Amino acid sequence: MPPSPCAACHSARALIVRPKNHQKLCKTCFIAVFEAEIHHTITANALFHRGERVAIGASGGKDSTVLASVLKTLNERHDYGLDLLLLSIDEGIRGYRDDSLETVKRNARQYDMPLTIVGYDELYGWTMDQVVEQVGKKGNCTYCGVFRRQALDRGAAMLGVQHVVTGHNADDMAETVLMNLLRGDLPRLSRSTSIITSTPAATPEASLANIKRSKPLKYAYEKEIVLYAHHKALDYFCTECIYSPEAFRGTARELVKNLERVRPSAILDIVRSGEDMARLTPGYEPPSWGGTCAGEAEEEAGCGSSVGRSAGGEMARMAVKLEADEKAGEEGLETEITLEKTGRRGKRKTEKAPRQPGKQTLGRCEKCGYLSSQSICKACMLLEGLNKSRPKVAIGDAQIDSVTNGLSQASISPG
Amino acid sequence: MTQDVCKKCSMLAAVVTVRSDPLCADCFARFVNTKVVKRMEGFRTRYATAGEERCLLLPVSFGVGSLTLLHVLDRHLVQQCERYGRTGYALRVLYVGVEGAERERLAMLREKYRHPVTVLPLAAVFESADDTDGADGVSGASEVDADADHTDDADQGNGTDKTKDTQGNSTEAAEKLTTLLAALTPTSTADVISILKTRLIANYARRTGCEAVLWGSSTTRLAETALAETAKGRGFALPWHLADGPSPYGVAFHHPLRDVLGKELTAHAEIVFPELLPLVAEEVLPRGTIDGLMRGYFASVEESYPSIVSNVVRTTGKLKPPPPGVARCALCSLPVEADQLGIYGWGGDQAAGRGAEGELCYGCSRAVPAEAAALLR
């Protein structure tokens, strides 16, 4: 079989079959097409404005490395006029994060971008190694996930940056759409499909709010990101979180991969469905910038580099909760049915009332000022639990000061 | 391990576990009946005007869902007759396929249940008569009068000219269907066949004056549909696919078995009407199709986490239908905004320069190549 010519330039030999549409391309054209597509996503969605200072959430993994590389290339090629910098979160997991951060440090030198590393110990007073020591391996993902969700925003606030970009790709988005359908989480389905989200504040001065998040790689396939990194010889780190190896075996992820095998466009098709369904969600309002788009910061990328990957036990935990809800619901219905004197309409009305999904009211945490639907945000509650269990030794006072300092720093609004 | 006693009656031995409750055969049958009858509240005898019988169409695929529904509703009608001397509705049964291939099953069906059974070939969806007959009272009346034991195409009661026209239509439609399916991938073939069946069934229901179509979909099947349509790019269509009530096809859709899991239907069939098990011919979905993947996926989810299956259906049931669009997809007939036709012009289309185009919704545009789409006009 003779080698196929590139479908784009028709001259060079095709070396790459695009995962997205099985188009055959040469190396040069693949890189050009990939970059052109990211550029189109950026301009079509007006992600940036000239002079904007943008922090790239950098983990050392392939997604954030490709994101940093592409943004640098496009910023220079198309003169976006952006001030780009790298922002990394150090969870404090020896043997995993310290190695990946070495990769980010090299990236910072290669791309000539300033790098800031913010540690969990700096923000919360606890490293994940210490958390695991305290609570054990089981359940530590909950702590890490909750802390991580806020950490990028807190880090950006410390730097006075108003825009954070993350490396969520199309596979992550598809996985999130399916997971939210399985979880029955419509509000999150709506938020997770947006390419831009923000955490508006009641008062514009508060620095922990008004931080914009965007995902320039939202429509890029994970396989193409890997191919791009490979053909540009990018330096990235690849391993699993040592505390949560199951994180890579989420059920929705496997389903997405199988669907992609059957029909390559399925990943984008799911993303499209997610966007369409978001519009069908009760109470949905179209995203508008400068408007009152309220939304909890979407889940940060999970262990590794992919959002939506669930720990192995998530399906089981969901099932238990749903079963309990269902039993309560049925008992409620049975109670209502026995009310013989109630007319048919009356029954229907009483049945409907408890089914109304509770609307989420977003306020701010009393302790740290972060956006939260509770009076105290989850991270502060978890911290409180951890601190109560902390052994009281002489060094304890210093640790408490560290926590206070971390929070204080997060609250400072420079500039 | 000691034999479980039925949770409800505390007397007989349990033969099946439903949502962690062990049940005996009688209580289990009552459980399924109750779920269905509750969904049929709107068709009780008190709502039936004397002499004005409400007709409901029940498409039978010989899957366990549609057969169970037929059996339960048949019992329901007998019960209504015994208690109130009349029924709240009448059933009409439709099978989409070739009569010859299912002759024995259809014979058993007609023998066991006394409802009129019609057989239509899938290609009938392309016969131009389908669309015009919708507004034609004469053809509608003719259809109702047709002998239930004959397929529409075999009806010889009309004049020679009409017979000739009908046959010409059939041949042309069959060729069209063959050409269309030949242009598709396996996953698209399964998808398109399912869509065309839905259209045909809805058209037939409308034409014969049926008030609603009763689908035999279990909770599990609805959950499969939700995720499969999502994966095919038809997220906008989920409200139409899963909700009970009015549909864009001009006839109401209902899913009376929506509260029963697929595995519960299988257990029910084995217990309640084992003599009909030879009738069951579950559709085999290839593993290499989106529908097949979802079938396999939910079979395992259902086994381990049945609450999640129910939750998916409940969640998608909360989505509200989009405002009626100006355009309609040429394949699935669902309302679409004009700027949402085709696969271009949205955020995920990263090639600049092309806007919405064509006559198919996003999902159908993925399923049917552009050259084959011309067949749908």
Side-chain angles (χ1 to χ4, degrees):
Chain A
M1 173 178 170
S4 313
C6 172
C9 63
H10 304 289
S11 55
R13 179 174 176 173
L15 297 174
I16 298 165
V17 177
R18 290 199 71 185
K20 178 178 280 181
N21 53 20
H22 289 182
Q23 193 182 34
K24 294 185 173 117
L25 299 173
C26 67
K27 173 177 164 179
T28 305
C29 288
F30 170 72
I31 290 174
V33 166
F34 183 87
E35 289 169 355
E37 288 186 352
I38 305 303
H39 174 60
H40 180 265
T41 299
I42 289 169
T43 53
N45 294 276
L47 297 188
F48 305 125
H49 62 262
R50 172 169 292 278
E52 192 170 19
R53 200 159 168 234
V54 178
I56 301 169
S59 63
K62 66 187 183 305
D63 296 315
S64 58
T65 298
V66 165
L67 179 59
S69 171
V70 169
L71 285 187
K72 176 180 170 62
T73 299
L74 297 180
N75 195 31
E76 290 168 358
R77 177 180 302 164
H78 299 286
D79 189 27
Y80 294 157
L82 302 177
D83 181 11
L84 298 170
L85 55 115
L86 297 173
L87 173 59
S88 287
I89 304 300
D90 179 1
E91 297 91 349
I93 305 174
R94 184 163 301 282
Y96 165 66
R97 188 53 84 189
D98 45 358
D99 290 343
S100 66
L101 287 175
E102 285 305 314
T103 307
V104 181
K105 289 171 185 173
R106 288 198 301 275
N107 290 161
R109 289 193 295 274
Q110 291 155 4
Y111 305 145
D112 190 28
M113 292 179 192
L115 164 65
T116 301
I117 301 177
V118 183
Y120 273 14
D121 53 355
E122 190 175 344
L123 293 173
Y124 304 112
W126 291 77
T127 64
M128 278 311 296
D129 284 343
Q130 291 167 346
V131 172
V132 170
E133 228 176 272
Q134 186 91 314
V135 306
K137 289 197 175 181
K138 196 164 188 176
N140 77 88
C141 290
T142 300
Y143 287 85
C144 191
V146 169
F147 287 167
R148 177 194 298 277
R149 209 162 290 158
Q150 292 188 6
L152 267 186
D153 282 358
R154 288 168 180 256
M158 290 172 65
L159 296 171
V161 171
Q162 298 304 122
H163 193 166
V164 176
V165 292
T166 56
H168 294 68
N169 57 48
D171 299 48
D172 300 331
M173 304 301 299
E175 201 172 318
T176 301
V177 169
L178 294 186
M179 273 316 291
N180 286 332
L181 277 178
L182 290 165
R183 285 173 179 155
D185 196 334
L186 287 187
R188 182 163 296 177
L189 175 67
S190 187
R191 293 194 298 269
S192 64
T193 52
S194 299
I195 192 167
I196 308 174
T197 53
S198 176
T199 55
T203 56
E205 306 88 55
S207 56
L208 254 182
N210 285 333
I211 294 179
K212 192 174 154 191
R213 291 273 202 113
S214 65
K215 310 163 212 166
L217 301 182
K218 177 188 174 184
Y219 300 111
Y221 274 40
E222 183 173 40
K223 283 181 182 171
E224 300 202 350
I225 289 169
V226 173
L227 282 170
Y228 182 84
H230 171 74
H231 287 289
K232 290 208 73 174
L234 299 184
D235 177 4
Y236 66 90
F237 188 74
C238 183
T239 189
E240 292 178 11
C241 173
I242 59 178
Y243 291 134
S244 184
E246 283 182 70
F248 287 91
R249 299 189 205 111
T251 176
R253 174 158 199 83
E254 187 179 339
L255 186 55
V256 168
K257 290 304 166 188
N258 286 333
L259 290 165
E260 183 189 13
R261 210 170 290 130
V262 166
R263 178 186 277 179
S265 70
I267 287 173
L268 268 188
D269 297 344
I270 294 170
V271 174
R272 165 65 183 246
S273 285
E275 293 180 3
D276 287 344
M277 283 187 280
R279 277 192 281 270
L280 308 179
T281 303
Y284 170 82
E285 289 173 20
S288 61
W289 295 119
T292 55
C293 176
E296 180 182 326
E298 76 276 4
E299 275 174 68
E300 184 44 59
C303 305
S305 61
S306 177
V307 75
R309 284 171 175 159
S310 56
E314 175 151 351
M315 289 287 269
R317 277 185 266 112
M318 257 205 298
V320 169
K321 182 182 186 301
L322 288 171
E323 202 133 340
D325 289 349
E326 228 168 68
K327 274 213 144 70
E330 276 190 2
E331 286 171 7
L333 286 176
E334 284 176 8
T335 303
E336 283 159 340
I337 287 171
T338 56
L339 299 175
E340 295 172 2
K341 293 185 177 179
T342 308
R344 186 171 152 275
R345 276 196 171 186
K347 264 187 199 176
R348 184 159 291 184
K349 280 185 180 177
T350 54
E351 277 177 24
K352 277 186 179 177
R355 288 175 192 270
Q356 292 297 326
K359 200 171 185 181
Q360 286 184 355
T361 309
L362 293 173
R364 293 161 58 80
C365 175
E366 292 168 1
K367 287 200 165 189
C368 69
Y370 195 77
L371 197 86
S372 172
S373 53
Q374 313 294 323
S375 60
I376 299 180
C377 71
K378 219 169 172 187
C380 287
M381 278 198 272
L382 291 178
L383 269 178
E384 200 169 320
L386 284 171
N387 285 329
K388 272 177 183 170
S389 310
R390 194 156 218 173
K392 297 186 176 180
V393 292
I395 201 169
D397 289 339
Q399 291 297 334
I400 292 174
D401 287 341
S402 176
V403 174
T404 306
N405 289 339
L407 294 182
S408 298
Q409 287 182 52
S411 302
I412 290 171
S413 53
Chain B
M1 167 178 156
T2 60
Q3 181 73 46
D4 280 328
V5 172
C6 176
K7 180 82 174 291
K8 284 195 182 296
C9 64
S10 304
M11 288 163 49
L12 303 175
V15 297
V16 64
T17 300
V18 176
R19 327 284 163 113
S20 76
D21 287 341
L23 297 181
C24 68
D26 288 346
C27 290
F28 177 53
R30 200 168 300 122
F31 165 83
V32 172
N33 279 3
T34 301
K35 293 293 183 182
V36 172
V37 170
K38 195 179 287 184
R39 289 286 170 180
M40 298 294 289
E41 279 286 302
F43 303 103
R44 289 165 62 184
T45 54
R46 71 170 67 170
Y47 303 125
T49 309
E52 184 182 313
E53 206 164 44
R54 302 167 77 186
C55 182
L56 305 174
L57 182 67
L58 200 163
V60 162
S61 60
F62 292 112
V64 70
S66 53
L67 287 176
T68 297
L69 185 58
L70 178 57
H71 181 83
V72 170
L73 293 185
D74 182 71
R75 301 287 88 207
H76 186 229
L77 288 169
V78 168
Q79 203 176 67
Q80 282 185 345
C81 243
E82 288 169 357
R83 285 187 187 171
Y84 311 109
R86 61 203 173 105
T87 58
Y89 58 93
L91 286 181
R92 176 185 285 271
V93 176
L94 173 66
Y95 173 68
V96 177
V98 181
E99 168 108 31
E102 300 289 357
R103 180 168 289 111
E104 285 178 18
R105 285 197 172 84
L106 289 164
M108 279 187 74
L109 207 67
R110 289 171 170 132
E111 180 188 339
K112 174 84 177 178
Y113 305 104
R114 294 280 189 271
H115 311 284
V117 178
T118 300
V119 178
L120 287 179
L122 180 59
V125 70
F126 288 135
E127 293 177 18
S128 55
D130 268 0
D131 297 319
T132 56
D133 274 358
D136 192 340
V138 175
S139 293
S142 167
E143 206 55 60
V144 170
D145 292 338
D147 189 337
D149 285 332
H150 290 91
T151 66
D152 290 351
D153 292 301
D155 190 346
Q156 298 298 318
N158 297 309
T160 305
D161 285 345
K162 187 163 183 183
T163 301
K164 201 171 287 182
D165 285 344
T166 301
Q167 284 176 352
N169 252 347
S170 299
T171 305
E172 190 177 317
E175 286 171 353
K176 194 182 210 179
L177 179 64
T178 303
T179 305
L180 175 64
L181 296 184
L184 308 178
T185 65
T187 202
S188 295
T189 300
D191 188 27
V192 168
I193 287 177
S194 173
I195 290 168
L196 293 177
K197 274 187 183 180
T198 301
R199 268 178 56 185
L200 178 58
I201 289 164
N203 285 347
Y204 180 80
R206 209 172 54 242
R207 207 165 74 226
T208 54
C210 294
E211 185 177 317
V213 178
L214 306 179
W215 302 100
S217 304
S218 63
T219 315
T220 312
R221 185 58 54 83
L222 293 175
E224 287 167 24
T225 299
L227 260 69
E229 293 304 301
T230 298
K232 296 171 192 167
R234 289 199 199 88
F236 78 99
L238 287 196
W240 305 124
H241 285 303
L242 273 75
D244 283 349
S247 78
Y249 299 99
V251 62
F253 281 359
H254 289 284
H255 306 82
L257 287 167
R258 70 187 298 124
D259 298 318
V260 186
L261 294 168
K263 63 177 180 175
E264 288 164 356
L265 289 185
T266 303
H268 178 268
E270 287 163 7
I271 291 168
V272 170
F273 50 91
E275 73 276 8
L276 289 184
L277 287 183
L279 222 56
V280 177
E282 213 61 62
E283 181 186 18
V284 179
L285 294 176
R287 189 78 198 179
T289 65
I290 289 178
D291 294 295
L293 275 177
M294 290 306 178
R295 181 71 48 91
Y297 179 75
F298 275 101
S300 66
V301 172
E302 180 191 54
E303 210 53 49
S304 312
Y305 313 111
S307 302
I308 287 177
V309 180
S310 310
N311 194 45
V312 169
V313 176
R314 199 160 46 235
T315 299
T316 47
K318 291 173 187 166
L319 297 172
K320 54 186 198 302
V326 179
R328 282 229 172 192
C329 174
L331 175 55
C332 65
S333 298
L334 295 178
V336 187
E337 294 291 338
D339 62 356
Q340 298 230 310
L341 290 168
I343 60 175
Y344 302 108
W346 69 293
D349 164 34
Q350 295 176 285
R354 293 179 80 168
E357 62 180 52
E359 295 171 338
L360 301 178
C361 69
Y362 179 94
C364 292
S365 298
R366 286 296 191 194
V368 178
E371 55 271 18
L375 289 166
L376 298 166
R377 274 187 217 107

